Amino acid sequence: MSVAESPHNVSIQNMDTPVLTISGREGSKEGELSGPVDVAVDKDGNTAVLENGNKRVQVFDARTGQSLRCFPVDGEDHWGIDVDSDGQYIVTSQNLSGTGKQAISVYSREGELRKTLKPEFLGDPLGVAVLKDGRMVVADRTANSQFSCLLLQPDGSLIREIGKGQFLNFPWFIAVDDSRDLLFVTDFYDHKVHVYDLEGNLKVSFGKEGENEGELLNPSGITFDPTGNIIVVNYDNNRLQVFKAGGTYLRTVAIVRGKEPTGITLTPDGHIAVACFAGHCVELYRYK
């Protein structure tokens, strides 16, 4: 469907132009980014960016894009970030290099390492989402390439595995809606979104592979809005879309300009922040 034919009457300019672009300069200096893989909103409303290339978290002013501070993170192959109710940063690191450094690390608001969670069942942790009570959900791949979403206590002990042996081909990023006890996860290779309750029951699964409106093509970042609509970005064709809770397509927010969009988050002032891994930037698009 062309833009002119779209019932949502979205203009090319609105779809293609971010309200704010953070960095876009690849580098290791403050204010520069290297392989930004995920984003989160901190307790002050700023944008926290996890950099895979620089092995650090860098915090930017959400309004101006100015770098405020940064701090190094332990481990390798970093992938997911979230902020808990105390303002602590939760960061996942994988074991892709075979170094055994897979972990979930917790950092203070000032960037000091508070604790490292490395339960023996942890394989390659990917996306992470923290509940208000401190529990967390981590997308994980075990040594035998079994995928699941791990519901964990704040100390890293396992509550339950969600989705293991059920539909999950490659869970990448996740989001959790505390108010509805729902877990949203993108399945990269199956071109789908799965929604589970926290007891592990599959509630909804949707997605048709393709490049058109309402279709998914290697979905990566995922979040939700206050009404329960699901927001997801395609890694391969950069389409940022909104679906109803049941999977019905609503609209396209933007065609993300930056290369290889990965993690996303919804900001308090109604923008979607998109980490663009190969674009070395974070782009903000108007949602409301």
Side-chain angles (χ1 to χ4, degrees):
M1 181 182 293
S2 69
V3 171
E5 296 169 332
S6 171
H8 308 289
N9 195 27
V10 180
S11 72
I12 289 290
Q13 181 177 4
N14 287 340
M15 289 178 67
D16 287 349
T17 306
V19 174
L20 175 69
T21 298
I22 296 175
S23 188
R25 302 184 307 276
E26 182 181 6
S28 58
K29 295 179 181 178
E30 190 165 333
E32 297 176 336
L33 293 171
S34 178
V37 67
D38 200 8
V39 287
V41 176
D42 73 8
K43 300 304 286 186
D44 298 318
N46 297 313
T47 304
V49 183
L50 176 62
E51 298 180 63
N52 184 288
N54 285 327
K55 300 181 181 180
R56 70 183 180 186
V57 171
Q58 188 165 187
V59 181
F60 294 86
D61 186 296
R63 293 176 294 107
T64 66
Q66 181 73 28
S67 177
L68 301 175
R69 63 185 183 278
C70 59
F71 60 88
V73 290
D74 285 358
E76 298 178 358
D77 308 314
H78 303 97
W79 196 258
I81 186 172
D82 202 3
V83 177
D84 70 13
S85 57
D86 293 324
Q88 299 181 120
Y89 301 94
I90 316 299
V91 175
T92 62
S93 52
Q94 302 177 76
N95 187 34
L96 297 182
S97 305
T99 57
K101 294 184 178 180
Q102 71 272 20
I104 304 163
S105 302
V106 181
Y107 297 86
S108 70
R109 297 175 75 154
E110 294 74 30
E112 298 176 355
L113 180 62
R114 288 281 175 83
K115 59 183 177 180
T116 300
L117 307 176
K118 193 177 178 180
E120 60 181 16
F121 53 80
L122 194 66
D124 280 317
L126 295 156
V128 60
V130 185
L131 284 74
K132 293 177 182 177
D133 62 6
R135 291 178 298 161
M136 66 189 81
V137 185
V138 179
D140 188 51
R141 173 177 52 192
T142 61
N144 58 359
S145 294
Q146 289 288 313
F147 292 95
S148 64
C149 294
L150 308 176
L151 178 59
L152 306 174
Q153 295 284 9
D155 65 0
S157 59
L158 181 65
I159 300 172
R160 69 178 53 89
E161 290 186 89
I162 297 174
K164 185 175 182 179
Q166 307 174 30
F167 311 107
L168 288 179
N169 188 19
F170 198 128
W172 231 23
F173 287 94
I174 60 178
V176 173
D177 185 347
D178 279 75
S179 65
R180 299 174 178 86
D181 284 334
L182 293 177
L183 160 68
F184 309 93
V185 55
T186 52
D187 199 325
F188 186 80
Y189 288 133
D190 273 355
H191 313 286
K192 291 185 180 298
V193 168
H194 305 298
V195 182
Y196 296 88
D197 64 27
L198 295 183
E199 294 298 319
N201 302 304
L202 180 67
K203 308 299 288 186
V204 176
S205 182
F206 68 89
K208 176 185 177 183
E209 180 181 359
E211 299 187 6
N212 298 318
E213 289 186 339
E215 296 177 338
L216 298 177
L217 193 64
N218 298 121
S220 51
I222 190 166
T223 189
F224 56 91
D225 69 17
T227 66
N229 293 323
I230 301 168
I231 307 164
V232 61
V233 67
N234 286 337
Y235 179 84
D236 273 7
N237 71 347
N238 295 39
R239 188 180 291 277
L240 180 63
Q241 304 181 94
V242 187
F243 298 84
K244 288 185 178 180
T248 301
Y249 171 73
L250 287 177
R251 64 186 176 100
T252 293
V253 176
I255 305 299
V256 175
R257 281 189 173 184
K259 296 179 181 179
E260 298 181 7
T262 47
I264 66 174
T265 191
L266 185 62
T267 69
D269 61 352
H271 294 87
I272 304 172
V274 184
C276 301
F277 187 83
H280 308 292
C281 64
V282 173
E283 295 179 345
L284 277 74
Y285 292 88
R286 192 178 309 279
Y287 182 64
K288 295 181 179 179

